[in-house]
Structures are given as structure tokens and as C-alpha cells.
């Protein structure tokens, strides 16, 4: 149950993190302000959205890191629980279930001589 909550939170944070990174302006985008674009009329004020979006990105990155660690912990805990319970390893079962094709010495090898026909042999004549 808690693992499912962490996975859902992890996915939502990942989507939010990608969206925030795409919304942020690059360093070269500020040059337009010097030519009279007027940053004082923006939603985030004259300072711009840089600090707000940067802070929110850092918070989401920290949450993403923590959920990644949480999922790694639950994966290792689940693997050790399977090993302690004496259950067979599922990957080992897959490897054992698919045996290699048997090689038989009884199958004859057909070797034919594939020499190309010369120009005069068994070639029908062209109609005139």
C-alpha cells in the first residue's frame, strides 16, 4: 500500500519537475528586457519568476530524490523477504524453464554443389 503511494507521488513529482524545467527561461532570455519589454508588468513582479521557479524546482528535486531512495529501500526489502521466505527466484525460474534446443548428431547435413550454369547449357534460345 505505501509502496503504491510512493510510486504515484514519484510519478507526479517527476511530471511536475519536467514541467517546471520547461517553464523556466534561459539566461539569454533576459536580454529582451534591456530593449524595453517591461518586466514590471509580469505576474511575478519586476524580479521575475526566477527565484520562485528555482526554489520550487529545488523542492521537487529533493522530493524526487527522497522518493527514489524510498522505492530503492522497498525493492531491496522485498527482495530480501523473498530470499528469507525460501521462495524460488523468479529470474532463475525463467532461465531454467527455457532449455536450449537439443543438438542431434542424427540430422544429416545436405551439401550440394551450386555451380552456375555456363552460357550454353540449358538456356533456352531467344525467340526471333
Amino acid at each position: 500500500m505505501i509502496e503504491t503511494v510512493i510510486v504515484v507521488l514519484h510519478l507526479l513529482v517527476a511530471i511536475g519537475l519536467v514541467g517546471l524545467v520547461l517553464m523556466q527561461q534561459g539566461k539569454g532570455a533576459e536580454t529582451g528586457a534591456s530593449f524595453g519589454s517591461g518586466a514590471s508588468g509580469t505576474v511575478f513582479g519586476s524580479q521575475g519568476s526566477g527565484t520562485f521557479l528555482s526554489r520550487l524546482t529545488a523542492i521537487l528535486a529533493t522530493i524526487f530524490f527522497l522518493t527514489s531512495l524510498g522505492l530503492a529501500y522497498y525493492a531491496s526489502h522485498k527482495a530480501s523477504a523473498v530470499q528469507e521466505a525460501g521462495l524460488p527466484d523468479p529470474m532463475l525460474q525463467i532461465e531454467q524453464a527455457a532449455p536450449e534446443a537439443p543438438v542431434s548428431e542424427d540430422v544429416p547435413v545436405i551439401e550440394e554443389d551450386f555451380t552456375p550454369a555456363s552460357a550454353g547449357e540449358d538456356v533456352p534460345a531467344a525467340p526471333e
Side-chain angles (χ1 to χ4, degrees), residues 17-25:
L17 195 57
V18 168
L20 277 175
V21 169
L22 291 176
M23 282 181 13
Q24 293 182 23
Q25 295 179 352

Side-chain angles (χ1 to χ4, degrees), residues 36-127:
S37 67
S40 61
T42 61
V43 174
F44 296 106
S46 63
Q47 189 178 10
S49 62
T51 58
F52 173 73
L53 291 179
S54 297
R55 185 173 294 142
L56 192 57
T57 303
I59 291 170
L60 285 182
T62 304
I63 295 171
F64 184 81
F65 180 73
L66 292 174
T67 56
S68 296
L69 288 176
L71 289 173
Y73 170 75
Y74 277 111
S76 67
H77 183 67
K78 188 180 286 187
S80 65
V82 166
Q83 190 177 20
E84 288 174 5
L87 298 174
D89 188 11
M91 294 306 293
L92 186 62
Q93 286 180 348
I94 291 173
E95 292 173 2
Q96 290 176 352
E100 295 182 18
V103 177
S104 176
E105 299 290 330
D106 299 336
V107 179
V109 177
I110 301 172
E111 294 181 15
E112 294 183 19
D113 185 24
F114 291 107
T115 56
S118 63
E121 296 179 13
D122 300 323
V123 177

